[in-house]
Amino acid sequence: MGDACFSTQLIDGDGVFNVSGLDNFMKEIKLGECGLSYAVVSIMGPQSSGKSTLLNHLFGTNFREMDAFKGRSQTTKGIWLAKAQNIEPCTLVMDLEGTDGRERGEDDTAFEKQSALFALAVSDIVLINMWCHDIGREQAANKPLLKTVFQVMMRLFSPRKTTLLFVIRDKSKTPLENLEPILREDIQKIWDAVPKPHAHKETPLSEFFNVEVVALSSYEEKEELFKEQVSHLRDRFQHSIAPGGLAGDRRGVVPASGFSFSSQQFWKVIKENKDLDLPAHKVMVATVRCEEIGNEKVASFTADEEWRQIEEAVQCDYVPGFGKKLSNLLDRCLSEYDMEAIYFDEGVRTSKRQQLESKLLQLVNPAYQLLLGHLRTRTLEAFRESFDKALTKEGFAVAARDCTEAFFEKFDKGSEDAAIQQVKWDPSKVRDKLKRDIEAHLASVRAEKLSELCGKYEAQLTKALAEPVEALLDSASEDTWPAIRKLLQRETKSAISGLESALSAFELDEATEKELLAKLEKHGRSVVESKAKEEAGRVLIRMKDRFSMLFSRDADSMPRVWTGKEDIKAITKTARSASMKLLATLAAIRLEEDGDTIENTLSLALIDTVRPGTTDRSIQSFDPLASSSWEQVPEEKTLISPVQCKSLWRQFKAETEYTVTQAIAAQEANKRNNNWLPPPWAIAAMAILGFNEFMTLLKNPLYLGVIFVVFLFGKAFWVQLDMGAELQNGFLPALLSLSTKFVPTIMNILKRLADEGQRPTSPERQREMELQPTNRSSYSNVTSAGSSSVTTTENGPEYSSPVTK
């Protein structure tokens, strides 16, 4: 079954190129799929010489033929294009407007030359249709046509070798063997006569043309023979591009997909009346067409559903197999380009392929970089989790080393999985960033762990030093600071040993480890210094407490009773000396064994002061505390300066003076209380003057009972008011204090007496009183009077008081 015939007007009579018509024509016949496997045949000849008729019979086309009954006139205008039927490979047939037509006139030969040049530029085979009876004539119509063909050929800088197939129409009885030499001779004469460029002065005709001659009988007179001869000629066009075929020499052929663009450019250059450079034109066509193919492939790749899914997935997370998937997509796209561009110029094709590959890689590079970013993030997060778990089982350095190696290996495998075959992108920048992130995390964790570790040992050291140092400073003896130094050395050594053992797991450099150990040692000293400063801040309170303890209590820590036998002056001096020793202890920090004279200086200035009888004025005028610093003590180690010690001592004495004064007053009051007996003369006077009253009492014993009751009441009143203690503070203060207690005390005594009279005696109490009757002689009368009687009833014993009865 024959192929369908498709035809279009390629160039109209006014020289306008039908771009859309050619594009539609190529789509209809699927020319773009042919690659280089196609041929172009065109026909030239005088107007009304039967060109269209020959083409229709030879190739099965449907070009318009002249109607002989209507007269001889122009039939074909411009250039028409059709596809030959049932001929392999795909053969394009161009029917050119006839030459020497009366419609264009004698002088209008521009379009003839333009169409001839166009046909030579794009055709593999050019049929030259001529009458048999014109052969051998000097002015026949075929010579201007041949002259035109040869002249325009010179405008091709690098013309390709075209087959000129002379078709002798209406062959007479003269054998073809006799006609062909004459025709070739005429052709050679025309070739020699055509002016040529200097480079082609000696170039033979065979360099440009492959001349073939064929003769056909008259179509009108011998139609059947004509058709038979045309059928034989048709066979020569089968596989015409094969070696030895009519179009075997195919230098500079344009791939089928670039035929439209190439034809347009040829016609454009011809219309602009420029010389044609076929190699340059070939490169230009290849450049444009390969770029178009490349753009199509980029658009196809962008619209590819698989690529879109990958691109969308990589926005959210790492995509396993990314490199393999992208490599397959890119390889498929580049393979499609190679298939479509394989017939174009190799240099251009390769260059445009590289550009296409670059565009595609540029298109996928953001996704690749984003993928590496996800890989880095995932690796870093997994590293953190794994490292935290490893820290519970291993030391820091071992865990850091093992985890780092393991996860860098995972990153390398992931980056290999993401690698694209078409390009060797270096993931080292992302790897370096991952390395920096891991190192930063390790540094952060290391700093945190070291801080916790150091804080732990610092807290232990603080706990081990704070309270003992405070107790030692409070004792304030000569051995205080040596004991503190010994304690500090022992506890610091223990803490440093523990920290050093713990730091071995971190594998720190020697300088860092020494720095941390020195920091811990410094912390121990700072704890001691801080405690010393804290105690120095409240030294006055400590001094007063010590003075009060030593002054108000004896050697057995019992409160002193100032009976009048104590040496208050000696006790005061001892207590003040102890307070001064406390002041001397807290005056400076003594963590080094360097000696100082602070205690001697304070003792000399504050305790061993010059007696009033001293006559040496130079000694009296010398004040060892009139300074802001101690000898042999650095300023940073000074807690209380000499001047401050003097001021504190003055305040201390002023605030303790009252206690001493009260002790002296109590001692004197006690002495007075112990001398309660009146003088002997007073006793004698009382005996003489009171004899009558004494006799009265003897005669009336009731007075004795009243006096005894008054005595008991006074004794209770004395005890309740604690008048002995009150009088120790002085008569006037005691009087004021007793005045406020007098009435409440009397009311309390009366209430208690009333309560005792109304309270029933419990069985236990009664039994106790029966067992020990003699122990309560002073209350026997009351007990006997208030005893209860016991009666027996049906329910058991009952108790009743005499009042009830």
Side-chain angles (χ1 to χ4, degrees):
M1 182 178 178
D3 297 335
C5 179
F6 299 100
S7 63
T8 185
Q9 187 176 32
L10 186 62
I11 301 172
D12 64 15
D14 296 326
V16 178
F17 197 95
N18 185 8
V19 178
S20 60
L22 179 58
D23 291 339
N24 292 333
F25 174 81
M26 291 179 61
K27 290 179 182 178
E28 290 289 342
I29 67 172
K30 298 180 181 179
L31 182 62
E33 301 176 3
C34 296
L36 295 179
S37 183
Y38 76 103
V40 181
V41 179
S42 59
I43 189 168
M44 300 181 187
Q47 181 175 302
S48 303
S49 60
K51 300 187 299 299
S52 300
T53 303
L54 176 61
L55 294 178
N56 290 338
H57 285 83
L58 185 59
F59 299 108
T61 56
N62 57 358
F63 294 122
R64 181 184 174 190
E65 300 179 9
M66 183 190 71
D67 188 354
F69 294 99
K70 293 183 178 180
R72 307 186 70 83
S73 61
Q74 187 182 50
T75 304
T76 303
K77 293 183 179 180
I79 301 176
W80 286 74
L81 180 66
K83 178 188 176 186
Q85 297 186 54
N86 302 321
I87 292 182
E88 293 294 335
C90 177
T91 301
L92 303 181
V93 182
M94 288 198 304
D95 187 9
L96 275 64
E97 181 180 318
T99 60
D100 196 22
R102 67 179 182 84
E103 284 78 7
R104 290 195 178 269
E106 181 179 355
D107 299 324
D108 189 7
T109 59
F111 186 80
E112 293 179 5
K113 293 181 179 180
Q114 290 173 351
S115 59
L117 183 56
F118 179 77
L120 288 173
V122 302
S123 301
D124 301 301
I125 305 169
V126 177
L127 301 180
I128 298 180
N129 197 47
M130 59 185 305
W131 300 109
C132 178
H133 53 261
D134 287 335
I135 297 175
R137 296 181 180 179
E138 186 66 25
Q139 299 299 327
N142 61 327
K143 289 189 176 181
L145 174 61
L146 291 175
K147 188 176 181 180
T148 298
V149 171
F150 295 152
Q151 284 178 346
V152 299
M153 180 59 73
M154 293 299 102
R155 292 180 58 187
L156 300 177
F157 284 166
S158 301
R160 59 180 181 172
K161 195 169 184 179
T162 307
T163 298
L164 291 180
L165 179 58
F166 287 88
V167 181
I168 301 175
R169 302 292 298 275
D170 296 348
K171 175 181 172 297
S172 61
K173 295 180 180 180
T174 306
L176 181 60
E177 293 79 4
N178 295 333
L179 293 175
E180 185 173 352
I182 299 172
L183 179 59
R184 289 184 180 275
E185 183 180 353
D186 290 342
I187 293 172
Q188 187 64 46
K189 287 181 179 180
I190 298 171
W191 173 257
D192 294 337
V194 171
K196 296 183 251 337
H198 181 74
H200 297 291
K201 285 289 185 182
E202 303 299 329
T203 304
L205 177 65
S206 58
E207 279 293 318
F208 293 100
F209 296 105
N210 179 26
V211 179
E212 296 286 340
V213 181
V214 65
L216 298 176
S217 299
S218 173
Y219 172 68
E220 294 180 356
E221 297 177 1
K222 302 176 181 180
E223 182 176 354
E224 294 301 325
L225 181 58
F226 172 82
K227 291 180 179 180
E228 182 181 351
Q229 293 171 346
V230 167
S231 177
H232 289 303
L233 179 60
R234 177 187 180 86
D235 294 338
R236 297 185 63 182
F237 285 93
Q238 293 288 351
H239 306 292
S240 58
I241 62 174
L246 288 177
D249 189 355
R250 293 171 56 75
R251 290 177 294 176
V253 64
V254 176
S257 61
F259 179 78
S260 175
F261 177 77
S262 175
S263 301
Q264 294 175 46
Q265 294 300 315
F266 271 134
W267 185 249
K268 180 180 178 182
V269 173
I270 292 170
K271 290 287 288 183
E272 293 173 357
N273 198 24
K274 296 180 180 178
D275 293 333
L276 293 178
D277 188 350
L278 294 183
H281 178 80
K282 176 184 176 183
V283 171
M284 179 192 67
V285 173
T287 301
V288 173
R289 185 57 191 148
C290 289
E291 188 168 348
E292 288 179 353
I293 296 173
N295 292 336
E296 291 173 1
K297 296 310 163 189
V298 170
S300 175
F301 182 86
T302 305
D304 188 272
E305 186 64 26
E306 185 176 357
W307 158 244
R308 286 187 174 182
Q309 291 177 358
I310 295 174
E311 186 180 26
E312 183 177 353
V314 84
Q315 297 295 324
C316 303
D317 198 1
Y318 179 80
V319 178
F322 175 88
K324 185 176 181 180
K325 294 176 182 177
L326 260 294
S327 298
N328 292 337
L329 286 176
L330 292 173
D331 187 59
R332 185 174 67 193
C333 186
L334 293 173
S335 298
E336 291 175 357
Y337 169 86
D338 291 337
M339 290 177 61
E340 294 188 29
I342 189 172
Y343 301 114
F344 289 100
D345 182 79
E346 183 178 1
V348 175
R349 182 178 71 240
T350 303
S351 174
K352 293 301 178 181
R353 189 185 194 279
Q354 293 174 353
Q355 291 182 14
L356 171 61
E357 187 175 3
S358 177
K359 287 181 180 179
L360 293 174
L361 293 175
Q362 187 176 3
L363 187 65
V364 303
N365 183 260
Y368 173 79
Q369 296 297 334
L370 190 59
L371 182 85
L372 289 184
H374 289 314
L375 177 61
R376 179 187 63 81
T377 302
R378 291 182 63 181
T379 305
L380 181 60
E381 291 176 354
F383 171 83
R384 288 174 176 171
E385 294 179 3
S386 177
F387 181 64
D388 291 342
K389 293 179 181 178
L391 282 179
T392 61
K393 302 176 182 178
E394 301 174 331
F396 181 90
V398 175
R401 184 166 50 250
D402 293 345
C403 289
T404 301
E405 291 177 359
F407 281 91
F408 269 123
E409 185 177 350
K410 286 185 178 180
F411 177 83
D412 292 338
K413 289 182 179 178
S415 59
E416 288 177 5
D417 182 66
I420 299 174
Q421 296 178 359
Q422 287 77 8
V423 65
K424 297 296 181 182
W425 279 329
D426 187 9
S428 59
K429 290 185 178 180
V430 181
R431 193 180 192 275
D432 291 342
K433 192 173 189 309
L434 174 63
K435 183 179 179 181
R436 292 194 298 269
D437 292 340
I438 289 178
E439 289 176 351
H441 179 69
L442 290 176
S444 174
V445 174
R446 183 189 295 110
E448 182 181 352
K449 294 296 181 183
L450 289 176
S451 178
E452 291 178 1
L453 194 61
C454 292
K456 173 185 173 183
Y457 282 95
E458 286 177 0
Q460 291 180 2
L461 189 57
T462 300
K463 184 178 181 181
L465 292 175
E467 293 182 359
V469 167
E470 184 176 351
L472 288 170
L473 289 174
D474 188 43
S475 66
S477 65
E478 294 180 356
D479 296 331
T480 295
W481 282 107
I484 290 176
R485 286 195 295 270
K486 186 176 180 181
L487 173 68
L488 175 63
Q489 183 179 5
R490 183 180 71 249
E491 297 298 336
T492 302
K493 183 177 180 181
S494 174
I496 287 178
S497 177
L499 179 60
E500 190 174 10
S501 176
L503 290 178
S504 62
F506 289 85
E507 297 182 4
L508 300 174
D509 58 273
E510 186 177 355
T512 304
E513 186 172 347
K514 285 184 177 180
E515 181 182 355
L516 293 175
L517 296 177
K519 181 181 177 183
L520 180 61
E521 183 178 2
K522 184 178 179 181
H523 175 75
R525 295 177 65 91
S526 68
V527 170
V528 175
E529 292 176 357
S530 175
K531 271 296 172 186
K533 290 178 181 178
E534 183 180 337
E535 292 300 313
R538 52 175 182 257
V539 64
L540 182 59
I541 299 173
R542 295 286 192 186
M543 290 169 64
K544 290 191 293 184
D545 291 344
R546 173 163 291 196
F547 177 84
S548 177
M549 182 182 68
L550 295 177
F551 185 80
S552 301
R553 295 181 180 273
D554 58 17
D556 297 328
S557 297
M558 298 298 293
R560 292 184 187 274
V561 178
W562 304 105
T563 62
K565 299 178 182 180
E566 295 83 9
D567 187 356
I568 293 180
K569 186 176 181 179
I571 293 172
T572 301
K573 185 175 181 180
T574 301
R576 285 180 175 174
S577 296
S579 299
M580 184 275 297
K581 189 177 289 292
L582 176 63
L583 179 62
T585 301
L586 294 174
I589 297 173
R590 301 177 179 89
L591 293 180
E592 285 75 24
E593 296 184 2
D594 301 336
D596 59 66
T597 59
I598 294 178
E599 186 174 350
N600 293 334
T601 302
L602 289 176
S603 178
L604 177 64
L606 303 178
I607 303 299
D608 299 332
T609 54
V610 178
R611 289 180 170 82
T614 303
T615 58
D616 192 344
R617 297 182 180 274
S618 63
I619 295 177
Q620 287 181 346
S621 62
F622 174 72
D623 187 359
L625 299 181
S627 175
S628 61
S629 61
W630 300 103
E631 292 182 3
Q632 302 177 349
V633 178
E635 184 178 354
E636 63 272 9
K637 300 297 182 182
T638 301
L639 298 177
I640 307 173
S641 66
V643 175
Q644 291 172 334
C645 286
K646 185 176 182 179
S647 175
L648 287 169
W649 187 257
R650 186 182 300 114
Q651 187 177 355
F652 164 75
K653 287 183 67 177
E655 294 184 8
T656 57
E657 193 70 32
Y658 178 75
T659 303
V660 177
T661 303
Q662 290 294 319
I664 294 173
Q667 194 178 46
E668 292 177 354
N670 197 6
K671 288 180 179 178
R672 288 194 300 269
N673 292 336
N674 290 334
N675 296 330
W676 58 277
L677 292 176
W681 61 267
I683 296 174
M686 290 172 62
I688 294 171
L689 296 174
F691 180 77
N692 293 332
E693 286 78 5
F694 179 72
M695 293 303 293
T696 302
L697 289 174
L698 290 176
K699 292 178 180 179
N700 191 358
L702 182 61
Y703 287 154
L704 290 175
V706 173
I707 291 172
F708 182 70
V709 171
V710 171
F711 171 75
L712 290 178
F713 186 81
K715 183 67 175 178
F717 188 72
W718 181 277
V719 172
Q720 288 293 324
L721 290 177
D722 195 12
M723 294 184 67
E726 293 291 345
L727 289 173
Q728 288 182 359
N729 297 326
F731 179 76
L732 183 59
L735 184 61
L736 294 174
S737 177
L738 292 174
S739 64
T740 60
K741 298 179 181 179
F742 183 77
V743 175
T745 303
I746 291 176
M747 297 300 294
N748 188 31
I749 292 173
L750 294 175
K751 183 179 179 183
R752 289 179 63 183
L753 288 174
D755 292 340
E756 287 292 332
Q758 296 178 1
R759 182 185 304 167
T761 305
S762 63
E764 292 80 3
R765 179 66 176 170
Q766 183 176 4
R767 198 175 296 115
E768 181 182 351
M769 292 174 65
E770 290 175 355
L771 293 174
Q772 298 179 352
T774 59
N775 293 339
R776 301 295 179 183
S777 60
S778 60
Y779 299 101
S780 59
N781 296 330
V782 178
T783 304
S784 60
S787 61
S788 303
S789 61
V790 181
T791 58
T792 305
T793 61
E794 295 179 357
N795 297 329
E798 292 183 356
Y799 299 89
S800 62
S801 65
V803 178
T804 306
K805 290 180 181 181

